[in-house]
Amino acid sequence: KKARKKHERDKKERSMQRAVDILADKQKSTEHVRNICVLAHVDHGKTTLTDCLISHNGFINQKQAGSLRMMDFLEEEQRRGITMKSASIALQYTSQSTSSSSPSQSTLINVIDSPGHVDFCSEVSTAARLSDGALVLVDVCEGVCVQTHAVLRQAWEEKLKPCLIFNKMDRLIEELKYSPLETYERLRMLLHEVNSLMSAFESEKFINQADTFLSAEDKRNNNINSDNNEDVEDLAEYLDDHLDMTDAEDVFSVERGNVAFASAMDGWAFRPEQFARLYAEKLGCSEKALKKGLWGDWFYHPKSKRIVGKKLNPNGKLKPLFVQCILDPIWKLYDAADEYYSGDKDLPTLAKSLKLTSISEKELTQSNKRMTLLAIMRSWLPLSSAILEMVVHSLPNPVEAMPFRIERLLYPSDSKIAAYDDILKCNKSSDATTVVFISKMVAVPLSSIHGGVREGSETHGDSKFVGFGRVFAGIMKKCDKIFVLGGDEPTEIIISELYLMMGQGMFPVDEVPSGNLLAIGGLDKVVLKSSTLSSSLECPLFGSMMFQASAIVKVAVEPENVQDMPLLLEGLRLLNRADAFVEMEVMDSGEHVLSAAGEVHLERCINDLRERFARVPIRVSKPLVNFKEGITTAGFADYKIGSKKVLRASVERLLVVGDKEKEEEKVDEKEATTAEDEKKKKKNNNALNIELSSISSSISGNSGDTFLDDFEESIRLGFQLACERGPICDEPLDNLKVTVEFLDAPIEDNDEVNNNDDDEQLNSGQVITFTRDVIRQAVMKSNPRLIEAMYLAVITTTSEALNGTYAVLGRRRSDILSESIREGTGVFIIHAYLPVATSFGFADELRKLTSGASSAQLVFSHWKELDIDPYQKLGEDGEELTDNVARDLMDMVRKRKGLKVDEKVVKVATKQRTLSRKT
């Protein structure tokens, strides 16, 4: 048995190696390469669809597609049933030629399967950056969900050409019992909803650009004070050009062929144009006209034998062509597979009417009707052919994609660099600059590297790190000298390991030309998460990737045995490299804090740390949640410097909408600001004004009058320190404007001095300290408030579980936004805001109280100010306030950080009685 298994394993490896050699040879023809990623909400069928595509090349059996989940090769993924990382595989597809004049052409398709859970959104970002097109899946039963919005925006931001796939059509037939006409109406509604989303993205961009352009024009016109007729004409032309873009045709159109309808679990899919070829001769019309008529309000009139519009169907008796020609035959097959079916035509009869030649008699006559149905559908409408054909004809190759993606990948200021043109043209000549972008580092098991690990290659336990990326220009070859850019200084390395990623398997190759995906070994010491590699130092750096969430869930980790601390530190370093989104931090207390996107992401990181990277027993603290601090009113505080001067800090609340300050203010002409400070303002939502008071001629010789000039950088540093740690519980300040003024001190008798009598004795350290302190004092006088992070919770439940769901939400301080019922089902959708601080264990408690009938998806939404004073002790009636949520949160954070907490040690005390000892 062992020998037979070894023989079968070796035979499979040899066949895979032959396939890899063919695929590597196909990489040389860039015009026949497609790089695509599969995007969707969680559980909408991405990995099942990818399985069906992989079965087209024979890497897995077609009957195993969907149940095997080849791209989910991690044990945690198989256990949870969700994808947790993006993985790539190369497939070959020979397009079906419709004319004898144009021969069929083989195409190399690199497919990247990505996660749908919001906690792993960084993996979606890495997949989108390396792709030119995207397959966006939508569950026809659940419709457009939270992550569907997110991945559509991700594809739009990364300038990807998308194709739309309506998945799980079988559920409409078997579970929801939709009729063909009801299904058609639902599909039209979903298509319109998705196109509206894409149109909203374009409109939002147009409005932002118009606002930016108008404000720039106003500022320029005010400065030159001249006739601005030409400027108005330029503005009108600019707006007209961009308005044409927003009024363009829909992104997804059945007529253009970038919309498909599928059931990935049952293994079938179609595009209406497939049926146009079948029905054109039968109906006696042109194939081109029928392509247009198979979607929309077009009907076949049996008497006139013509395709007519809605006006010639006044009674509504005629069915749309999409229903009559496509959906009705599919519904008949599913009806015939029902065990209570009593019709005249059984499945074998219907299969013969379809003239299927690739299905055997044994499959038609088997007793299990369900298996017979699947065999017929997979033979009649094979999913892999329909989807891959759409990819080849609707999505661009790397050469076609780069002109409209280049503005997203690189900065416009880099256009003068020679390598910029090589990237734009996807140049693969020998004299072109080799440019590679590494989107993430992947820890792969040593067993998955075919041919074994090269001698001298760095490994970590039973894992090895490889960089997953794409060649954007030139040809990456073994033994090439490459510069790693993006760090403090460029680092030169020699490429010793190149791999073609085939799911979990890594197959060595000698070279990879431009426009293809690859994995590179030996980058452990030079690349942390992502980087740009180039054969020339004169190379533009790739722009940063867009992440949909932020790392707001933190825990402190420590080894159970102190002697294992070096192993834990090494494990944290490896985990930081292996996960593109995780963050590491060492607190002032010496704690090692690990930050993740959510509860599921955090749990996976802890498991990886214990089992793969550190391999030591570790203790994990309770989750640490980020807060912010803000103010509700304006206030100020003074700090006396010497006997004659006062440093005043005035604070007021900034009105911030998005990243733009909407507050109108008058700025002193002598206000000291720099470009670097402006960047810090936008990043921290805080602003600093240093107002230089006018100097009187009578005291012009006093050195104290130049205080702000001499200590400007110290004041800025004090401002930054104050903003990093607010006075409530050492959390960052947000939405705050600080004005620092240097004033004359009022003359009073018996005036006490806070600092040195002589201003000249001040040093920068003292200025930093009392600037920080005076800002904190000003904040305390301005009614400070805690600001907490909020999740948007999208909960799916049934009518029987509504009471339990609302009970869980009520205990966790949630705000209910809406409740709606999904059309045609008994499923309710609840939208609510849930504080991150109360979200831990929410999903588990929800499942327990509703017996599994409710499930939740949590997405970071915004920061919300707690409208209660954390220092308030008495209520409106004068009695002690016992339910001050802000105070409880403040005390919790201060205890964790070792700060002073004002609390009673003994809450309830009774009079003690001393008993005398009897002798």
Side-chain angles (χ1 to χ4, degrees):
K1 277 187 177 181
K2 291 182 179 179
R4 190 183 305 114
K5 286 183 179 180
K6 185 177 183 301
H7 175 73
E8 291 177 356
R9 187 168 59 251
D10 292 343
K11 183 179 178 181
K12 185 177 181 180
E13 287 187 3
R14 287 194 299 269
S15 63
M16 282 290 290
Q17 187 61 54
R18 285 195 298 269
V20 168
D21 294 340
I22 296 173
L23 294 171
D25 186 61
K26 293 291 180 184
Q27 290 181 336
K28 299 175 182 178
S29 179
T30 311
E31 292 76 13
H32 298 105
V33 172
R34 302 290 186 274
N35 298 311
I36 65 170
C37 57
V38 186
L39 309 175
H41 184 75
V42 64
D43 288 335
H44 277 205
K46 297 178 298 299
T47 305
T48 303
L49 179 88
T50 307
D51 267 7
C52 295
L53 301 183
I54 294 172
S55 68
H56 182 82
N57 280 187
F59 296 142
I60 62 175
N61 192 303
Q62 188 179 17
K63 294 181 180 179
Q64 291 180 304
S67 58
L68 183 65
R69 292 171 39 232
M70 178 178 174
M71 304 300 280
D72 290 351
F73 47 80
L74 297 180
E75 183 180 345
E76 187 77 2
E77 291 178 314
Q78 291 288 341
R79 182 178 69 85
R80 286 181 176 270
I82 62 173
T83 304
M84 294 184 172
K85 48 94 192 68
S86 55
S88 169
I89 190 168
L91 304 174
Q92 182 184 5
Y93 176 71
T94 302
S95 179
Q96 301 173 1
S97 178
T98 56
S99 61
S100 57
S101 59
S102 58
S104 57
Q105 181 65 47
S106 180
T107 304
L108 172 66
I109 302 176
N110 295 307
V111 182
I112 307 177
D113 182 30
S114 64
H117 199 285
V118 66
D119 282 10
F120 307 103
C121 61
S122 61
E123 296 289 333
V124 179
S125 301
T126 59
R129 173 53 58 93
L130 303 181
S131 305
D132 297 318
L135 297 179
V136 181
L137 275 70
V138 175
D139 186 334
V140 291
C141 297
E142 295 187 6
V144 178
C145 298
V146 178
Q147 276 304 101
T148 312
H149 284 250
V151 298
L152 284 171
R153 176 172 281 279
Q154 185 87 51
W156 180 80
E157 290 281 356
E158 289 289 342
K159 305 292 184 184
L160 303 183
K161 289 285 186 182
C163 285
L164 184 63
I165 301 174
F166 289 115
N167 193 25
K168 302 191 181 183
M169 293 280 291
D170 58 299
R171 291 186 62 195
L172 291 180
I173 306 172
E174 297 181 311
E175 293 182 22
L176 303 183
K177 305 298 182 182
Y178 271 40
S179 68
L181 189 58
E182 291 172 338
T183 300
Y184 169 66
E185 293 298 335
R186 177 159 182 79
L187 293 174
R188 286 188 65 180
M189 183 267 293
L190 289 175
L191 180 60
H192 176 72
E193 186 177 355
V194 175
N195 278 323
S196 298
L197 274 177
M198 300 301 290
S199 177
F201 297 153
E202 285 291 344
S203 300
E204 179 185 344
K205 178 184 177 183
F206 167 73
I207 292 171
N208 291 338
Q209 288 179 337
D211 287 344
T212 304
F213 193 85
L214 284 168
S215 60
E217 285 294 318
D218 290 341
K219 186 178 294 185
R220 188 158 66 91
N221 293 336
N222 292 334
N223 289 336
I224 62 176
N225 292 322
S226 62
D227 187 19
N228 60 351
N229 289 333
E230 294 182 1
D231 298 330
V232 173
E233 291 177 1
D234 293 341
L235 175 61
E237 184 178 351
Y238 173 86
L239 296 179
D240 286 342
D241 291 343
H242 284 73
L243 190 59
D244 291 340
M245 294 175 60
T246 61
D247 291 339
E249 56 188 358
D250 291 338
V251 175
F252 300 107
S253 170
V254 176
E255 297 174 20
R256 291 203 306 275
N258 63 356
V259 179
F261 308 88
S263 170
M265 186 56 72
D266 286 358
W268 58 267
F270 67 87
R271 292 187 299 159
E273 64 180 46
Q274 297 173 232
F275 291 86
R277 293 192 288 270
L278 297 173
Y279 285 103
E281 184 177 351
K282 183 177 180 180
L283 299 179
C285 60
S286 67
E287 183 178 331
K288 184 177 180 181
L290 196 55
K291 279 184 183 180
K292 182 179 179 181
L294 280 175
W295 183 260
D297 293 325
W298 297 97
F299 311 87
Y300 178 70
H301 202 286
K303 293 184 178 179
S304 60
K305 295 185 178 181
R306 292 172 53 200
I307 297 175
V308 298
K310 198 172 184 179
K311 293 182 180 180
L312 297 179
N313 184 29
N315 299 326
K317 293 182 179 180
L318 300 178
K319 295 180 181 179
L321 280 172
F322 183 81
V323 175
Q324 186 177 359
C325 299
I326 302 176
L327 296 186
D328 277 349
I330 296 174
W331 256 247
K332 287 179 181 178
L333 286 168
Y334 272 86
D335 288 342
D338 191 277
E339 58 180 337
Y340 300 108
Y341 176 71
S342 58
D344 298 334
K345 296 183 179 179
D346 56 3
L347 285 174
T349 305
L350 292 173
K352 289 177 182 177
S353 65
L354 295 173
K355 300 179 181 179
L356 302 177
T357 58
S358 59
I359 185 170
S360 65
E361 188 67 27
K362 181 180 179 181
E363 290 176 313
L364 287 175
T365 55
Q366 58 185 323
S367 58
N368 191 332
K369 286 187 175 183
R370 174 69 181 171
M371 299 306 297
T372 304
L373 172 68
L374 296 184
I376 293 173
M377 294 302 297
R378 289 170 180 172
S379 177
W380 180 36
L381 302 172
L383 182 143
S384 57
S385 299
I387 302 302
L388 295 177
E389 189 77 16
M390 179 174 65
V391 168
V392 171
H393 289 96
S394 300
L395 299 183
N397 59 48
V399 179
E400 297 169 343
M402 287 313 297
F404 57 83
R405 288 203 70 205
I406 192 78
E407 64 181 25
R408 170 62 185 168
L409 299 177
L410 303 176
Y411 299 102
S413 57
D414 297 327
S415 58
K416 297 179 181 179
I417 303 176
Y420 186 95
D421 289 334
D422 291 334
I423 298 173
L424 177 62
K425 298 175 183 177
C426 208
N427 192 350
K428 59 181 179 181
S429 60
S430 57
D431 57 345
T433 304
T434 302
V435 181
V436 178
F437 178 71
I438 301 297
S439 68
K440 68 170 182 174
M441 297 294 290
V442 185
V444 298
L446 298 180
S447 58
S448 65
I449 300 177
H450 291 256
V453 181
R454 188 181 61 85
E455 187 177 353
S457 178
E458 185 173 357
T459 60
H460 305 278
D462 59 355
S463 299
K464 175 179 174 59
F465 279 95
V466 297
F468 180 42
R470 170 177 167 177
V471 184
F472 281 91
I475 302 176
M476 176 63 80
K477 300 179 181 179
K478 279 187 179 180
C479 303
D480 279 356
K481 291 185 178 180
I482 292 293
F483 294 99
V484 180
L485 309 177
D488 296 334
E489 292 183 1
T491 307
E492 186 177 10
I493 62 170
I494 296 178
I495 299 299
S496 57
E497 303 169 60
L498 290 178
Y499 300 100
L500 177 64
M501 185 180 286
M502 299 290 291
Q504 183 182 12
M506 298 287 167
F507 291 84
V509 293
D510 295 328
E511 64 179 37
V512 180
S514 175
N516 290 278
L517 307 184
L518 81 167
I520 304 177
L523 301 179
D524 306 44
K525 297 180 180 179
V526 292
V527 177
L528 179 61
K529 293 179 183 289
S530 63
S531 183
T532 303
L533 311 184
S534 176
S535 59
S536 171
L537 289 173
E538 294 294 325
C539 176
L541 297 178
F542 281 78
S544 59
M545 293 180 287
M546 185 193 82
F547 295 117
Q548 303 164 10
S550 56
I552 56 175
V553 180
K554 300 181 179 182
V555 292
V557 294
E558 62 179 5
E560 293 185 1
N561 189 344
V562 181
Q563 297 176 349
D564 294 332
M565 180 58 78
L567 295 176
L568 175 63
L569 295 179
E570 178 64 14
L572 288 171
R573 186 183 69 83
L574 296 177
L575 177 63
N576 190 32
R577 176 174 284 112
D579 195 303
F581 200 66
V582 74
E583 295 178 4
M584 307 295 172
E585 184 181 3
V586 181
M587 308 296 288
D588 294 341
S589 60
E591 290 179 304
H592 294 272
V593 175
L594 185 151
S595 304
E599 208 171 349
V600 179
H601 184 212
L602 180 64
E603 186 177 339
R604 196 202 73 174
C605 290
I606 296 299
N607 288 339
D608 285 348
L609 195 60
R610 283 175 172 151
E611 299 172 7
R612 298 181 63 190
F613 300 126
R615 295 188 172 186
V616 294
I618 61 175
R619 283 196 292 264
V620 182
S621 71
K622 292 182 179 180
L624 319 176
V625 183
N626 283 347
F627 291 91
K628 292 183 180 181
E629 300 179 21
I631 59 174
T632 56
T633 61
F636 70 92
D638 293 340
Y639 198 99
K640 190 170 290 187
I641 301 174
S643 59
K644 299 179 181 179
K645 297 294 178 182
V646 169
L647 186 70
R648 171 170 293 180
S650 303
V651 296
E652 58 183 296
R653 187 173 182 175
L654 267 182
L655 302 178
V656 177
V657 180
D659 290 327
K660 295 185 178 180
E661 297 176 7
K662 299 295 184 182
E663 187 183 54
E664 297 181 0
E665 57 184 358
K666 295 181 179 179
V667 182
D668 195 291
E669 293 181 358
K670 297 181 181 180
E671 181 181 349
T673 56
T674 63
E676 183 179 354
D677 298 320
E678 292 296 331
K679 292 180 181 178
K680 291 175 182 175
K681 291 180 191 178
K682 293 180 180 179
K683 181 178 180 181
N684 299 321
N685 282 348
N686 292 327
L688 171 65
N689 277 353
I690 301 177
E691 297 188 358
L692 303 178
S693 302
S694 58
I695 301 173
S696 173
S697 60
S698 62
I699 55 172
S700 60
N702 193 337
S703 62
D705 297 320
T706 60
F707 175 81
L708 293 179
D709 285 330
D710 295 341
F711 294 105
E712 179 181 334
E713 289 304 319
S714 298
I715 292 176
R716 293 185 188 281
L717 185 55
F719 165 73
Q720 292 173 9
L721 291 176
C723 289
E724 287 175 2
R725 295 186 175 185
I728 299 179
C729 51
D730 278 6
E731 292 292 315
L733 291 169
D734 194 43
N735 291 352
L736 192 72
K737 175 186 173 183
V738 179
T739 301
V740 177
E741 300 173 278
F742 192 46
L743 307 174
D744 293 331
I747 299 176
E748 297 179 3
D749 296 334
N750 301 325
D751 199 11
E752 295 183 2
V753 179
N754 288 340
N755 214 314
N756 300 306
D757 290 332
D758 191 351
D759 298 339
E760 292 182 354
Q761 295 180 10
L762 290 175
N763 58 49
S764 60
Q766 290 174 307
V767 174
I768 292 172
T769 301
F770 62 63
T771 302
R772 179 199 63 192
D773 292 344
V774 74
I775 293 176
R776 288 167 65 97
Q777 291 173 17
V779 170
M780 288 298 292
K781 293 180 179 179
S782 305
N783 291 332
R785 293 288 186 269
L786 267 184
I787 305 173
E788 64 176 346
M790 300 293 289
Y791 277 135
L792 172 63
V794 182
I795 303 163
T796 305
T797 185
T798 60
S799 57
E800 294 81 6
L802 276 176
N803 290 336
T805 302
Y806 281 120
V808 176
L809 289 172
R811 284 196 294 268
R812 294 175 181 263
R813 297 193 291 113
S814 62
D815 295 330
I816 307 298
L817 299 178
S818 65
E819 175 192 312
S820 59
I821 188 170
R822 187 176 292 155
E823 183 182 354
T825 68
V827 176
F828 286 83
I829 308 295
I830 300 173
H831 290 78
Y833 286 139
L834 182 70
V836 174
T838 64
S839 66
F840 302 103
F842 171 71
D844 291 337
E845 184 183 3
L846 192 64
R847 281 193 293 267
K848 287 178 182 177
L849 282 188
T850 61
S851 302
S854 298
S855 61
Q857 179 84 354
L858 303 179
V859 183
F860 176 72
S861 176
H862 64 286
W863 292 88
K864 177 187 176 183
E865 182 181 282
L866 287 171
D867 191 19
I868 184 171
D869 188 350
Y871 296 100
Q872 182 178 349
K873 295 183 178 180
L874 300 179
E876 295 179 356
D877 53 0
E879 296 183 359
E880 185 177 357
L881 193 64
T882 58
D883 57 347
N884 189 332
V885 176
R887 185 176 185 84
D888 294 340
L889 294 174
M890 178 186 72
D891 291 345
M892 178 189 71
V893 177
R894 293 185 69 90
K895 281 181 182 178
R896 173 168 56 83
K897 293 184 177 182
L899 303 175
K900 182 181 178 181
V901 178
D902 183 17
E903 64 176 352
K904 295 179 180 178
V905 178
V906 179
K907 295 183 179 180
V908 179
T910 57
K911 185 176 180 180
Q912 294 183 347
R913 183 174 57 181
T914 304
L915 298 176
S916 60
R917 189 175 180 183
K918 296 181 179 180
T919 56

